[in-house]
């Protein structure tokens, strides 16, 4: 639950780059009106909003209104400040950016726990002489859960909202994704030698089938 709370408020936890997925069109929308203004859960008022919408609008002194976790309006701070009221209002600095959430297209989230094991060498030397032996000794469901939770917090705090992952015990990774509120595109690793979550390829295929069914 703590992870989900963090991910819902991504715009608040960043400094230089404030991240929200702001591809929505501006316009009146939101919850029940209060004092003549639409109710929002969160207003981001200020900063430069880089929308990445069809017109690639960049709005100086921009604003974003969020209701029930969804962006309902994007415009200038003056426009949205007069149209919406919210219990939570965040005001970015003049030099801050409000940009769409980032996507990590290649990730092995649980490997956050293997930082520093080895560095600055050819890929196969790194894998075969260092990473595979360490994984064989240490990686289990708890390892994957803790490592993925750490990765989720780091992604949330840096504005990453979606990631593609391929590792072991992807069932556990999926649970952390659900807990965190992130989006995940998850694939189970299948090897032709014993791996932390399966001793044979046939067992890996059975695990993957069960993972997909779940």
């Amino acid at each position: 639950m703590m992870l989900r709370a963090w991910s819902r408020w991504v715009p608040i936890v960043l400094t230089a780059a404030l991240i929200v997925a702001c591809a929505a069109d501006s316009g009146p929308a939101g919850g029940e009106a209060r004092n003549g203004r639409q109710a929002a859960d969160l207003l981001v008022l200020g900063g430069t909003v880089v929308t990445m919408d069809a017109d690639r609008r960049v709005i100086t002194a921009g604003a974003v209104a969020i209701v029930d976790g969804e962006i309902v309006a994007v415009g200038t701070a003056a426009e949205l400040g007069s149209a919406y009221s919210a219990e939570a209002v965040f005001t970015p600095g003049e030099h801050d950016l409000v940009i769409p959430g980032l996507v990590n297209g290649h990730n092995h989230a649980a490997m956050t726990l293997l930082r520093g094991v080895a560095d600055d060498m050819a890929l196969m030397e790194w894998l075969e002489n260092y990473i595979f032996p360490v994984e064989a000794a240490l990686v289990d469901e708890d390892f994957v859960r803790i490592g993925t939770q750490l990765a989720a917090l780091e992604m949330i705090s840096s504005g990453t909202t979606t990631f593609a992952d391929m590792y072991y015990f992807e069932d556990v990774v999926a649970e952390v994704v659900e807990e965190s509120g992130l989006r995940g595109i998850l694939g189970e690793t299948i090897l032709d030698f014993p791996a932390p979550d399966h001793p044979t390829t046939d067992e890996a295929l059975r695990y993957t089938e069960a993972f997909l069914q779940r």
Side-chain angles (χ1 to χ4, degrees), residues 127-197:
L127 283 173
E128 293 176 352
N129 296 335
Y130 296 92
I131 298 304
F132 288 158
V134 169
E135 287 178 334
L138 297 180
V139 173
D140 57 16
E141 289 192 3
D142 287 340
F143 181 102
V144 170
R145 186 180 306 279
I146 294 168
T148 304
Q149 287 173 335
L150 173 59
L153 286 170
E154 291 179 346
M155 285 188 279
I156 290 165
S157 67
S158 64
T160 297
T161 60
T162 304
F163 71 103
D165 191 78
M166 180 193 70
Y167 203 56
Y168 310 112
F169 299 106
E170 282 296 319
D171 241 358
V172 175
V173 177
E175 291 172 2
V176 175
V177 169
E178 178 68 17
E179 177 189 42
S180 69
L182 291 169
R183 296 181 180 95
I185 299 94
L186 312 180
E188 171 68 17
T189 295
I190 300 177
L191 301 174
D192 59 359
F193 56 85
D197 59 354

Side-chain angles (χ1 to χ4, degrees), residues 5-188:
W6 272 89
S7 64
R8 288 185 59 197
W9 301 108
V10 166
I12 295 176
V13 300
L14 301 175
T15 53
L18 305 166
I19 311 299
V20 289
C22 49
D25 293 327
S26 58
E32 184 179 347
R34 292 192 299 238
N35 301 322
R37 294 185 291 172
Q38 292 293 316
D41 298 323
L42 172 66
L43 279 178
V44 180
L45 296 176
T48 298
V49 176
V50 182
T51 67
M52 298 301 294
D53 63 9
D55 298 321
R56 297 294 194 265
R57 290 179 300 155
V58 177
I59 306 171
T60 304
V64 179
I66 298 171
V67 176
D68 292 332
E70 295 186 0
I71 292 170
V72 295
V74 177
T76 67
E79 291 168 344
L80 268 61
S82 62
Y84 290 89
S85 63
E87 295 180 3
V89 178
F90 182 64
T91 306
E94 178 184 357
H95 302 293
D96 289 333
L97 298 176
V98 182
I99 70 175
L102 303 176
V103 176
N104 183 338
H106 183 141
N107 200 33
H108 311 279
M111 291 184 75
T112 52
L113 299 183
L114 298 181
R115 286 183 183 137
V117 168
D119 237 332
D120 300 323
M121 60 187 65
L123 174 61
M124 294 314 296
E125 178 186 1
W126 179 73
L127 283 173
E128 293 176 352
N129 296 335
Y130 296 92
I131 298 304
F132 288 158
V134 169
E135 287 178 334
L138 297 180
V139 173
D140 57 16
E141 289 192 3
D142 287 340
F143 181 102
V144 170
R145 186 180 306 279
I146 294 168
T148 304
Q149 287 173 335
L150 173 59
L153 286 170
E154 291 179 346
M155 285 188 279
I156 290 165
S157 67
S158 64
T160 297
T161 60
T162 304
F163 71 103
D165 191 78
M166 180 193 70
Y167 203 56
Y168 310 112
F169 299 106
E170 282 296 319
D171 241 358
V172 175
V173 177
E175 291 172 2
V176 175
V177 169
E178 178 68 17
E179 177 189 42
S180 69
L182 291 169
R183 296 181 180 95
I185 299 94
L186 312 180
E188 171 68 17

